[in-house]
Amino acid sequence: MKRIVRAAAAAALACSLALSAGTAAGAAEAGARGGGADRAAVAPLALPAPTGPYPVGSTVLPLVDRSRTDPWVPTADGRRLMVTLHYPAARAGGGTPAPYATREEARRIAEGLGLGGAVPADVLAATRTHSRTDVRPAPGRRPLVLLSPGFSVSRWTLTHLAEDLASRGYVVASVDHAYESYGITLPGGETLPCVACAALDEEGVPGGVVTATRAADMRFVLDRLTGPRPAWRHAGVIDARRIGMAGHSIGGASATATMAADHRVDAGVNMDGAFWEDLPAEGLRGRPFLLLGTDETHRPGGPDATWDRMWPRLDGWRRWLTVTGSAHGTFSDFPLIERHFGLPGPDLAADRAVALTRTYVAAFFDRHLRGAPGRLFGGPSPDHPEVRFQNP
């Protein structure tokens, strides 16, 4: 059986997460025989606890940018975005446990990835998080980190990372981009389909349309979080002078597009995303950037040549790290989902995938948004032997 995700440069829709129908059928059959999927259905997945000192709050902001026409559905009423904010909470407890996903989102994504028989939607949607809904933020001014998910999946696939960053003192805005996921549920209950999936797969629309659109999305999100009339009533805790962005797959490529278009974003991370557009000649104007990817695909001279091409344009502090034994989904919640539902995964264990992603992403933002020493980036660490420092 194939893995839950394919390599980022594998095909025209290189940044999608996918699983063959044969894999889903095999997993479903195993469940019927009393295998992993059936056992996992007894209880929902519980995400790993965050590692920082703060309890975590969470709130959902539906946003609509009516100044733009949606590129995928021009007849839509503006460009719709769903944003989940995770943030340090003032105290533990209070509120209600934050949901992971709606059942319809989980159903559509499981079916879109070929997992309908192996991953019950109600079980996936009931995944237990470590944040509480709409609780009061801890006092103080906090750096903001924007998160953008992989193509065809939703913002909640980055929840373990979002919660961990929030527990370390960051406000984290995870953004769902309309019509770019198999399922995005709006407040009224409507669930938007992935119109962009067909546009890229069947109509030949280039991935650069996605990254440019997401850059505009993030600009709007920043306006609504740090502008004069913010959409979040606790927006005063955000320090608009310290903003970073990370993304998985095409969301990672969108981090460079966003930084090129918006000077407010001070630092960026691309987690295993192929680049669809080159940076302009001025690069990132000296701002720092981290490449964190699979060793198989993203080592220098590897299958995805876009990292080699983009490297000289990263003109500030930069690191190129690859992770041995990882797969495309390693830098998201997918290793945890694979393990819980008895699906095949890469050689790198789920707990290590979570620990490495959290450790290196947090260390990068600590260094560049907080001025921490950042010794982790001085070279290979015996504590993290899977991480390779590349020097093209």
Side-chain angles (χ1 to χ4, degrees), residues 3 295 323-327 330 346-349 386:
R3 293 174 182 171
D295 190 61
V323 181
T324 304
S326 61
T330 287
D347 294 338
L348 186 68
E386 307 93 336

Side-chain angles (χ1 to χ4, degrees), residues 91 130 176 359:
R91 61 184 180 85
H130 293 273
D176 257 339
T359 296

Side-chain angles (χ1 to χ4, degrees), residues 218-263:
M218 291 306 193
R219 188 178 190 89
F220 178 70
V221 170
L222 288 179
D223 290 344
R224 298 299 289 124
L225 289 178
T226 65
R229 290 183 293 176
W232 184 38
R233 66 191 180 103
H234 298 299
V237 302
I238 296 173
D239 184 349
R241 300 166 300 175
R242 296 183 291 165
I243 297 173
M245 179 174 171
H248 174 236
S249 194
I250 209 165
S254 300
T256 51
T258 301
M259 291 177 70
D262 197 322
H263 66 88

Side-chain angles (χ1 to χ4, degrees), residues 100-111 115-127 156 341:
Y100 186 64
T102 70
R103 188 186 185 283
E104 185 62 12
E105 286 173 336
R107 184 187 71 79
R108 292 196 188 189
I109 285 183
E111 290 184 358
L115 296 171
V119 179
D122 55 344
V123 180
L124 179 58
T127 294
W156 42 267
F341 290 101

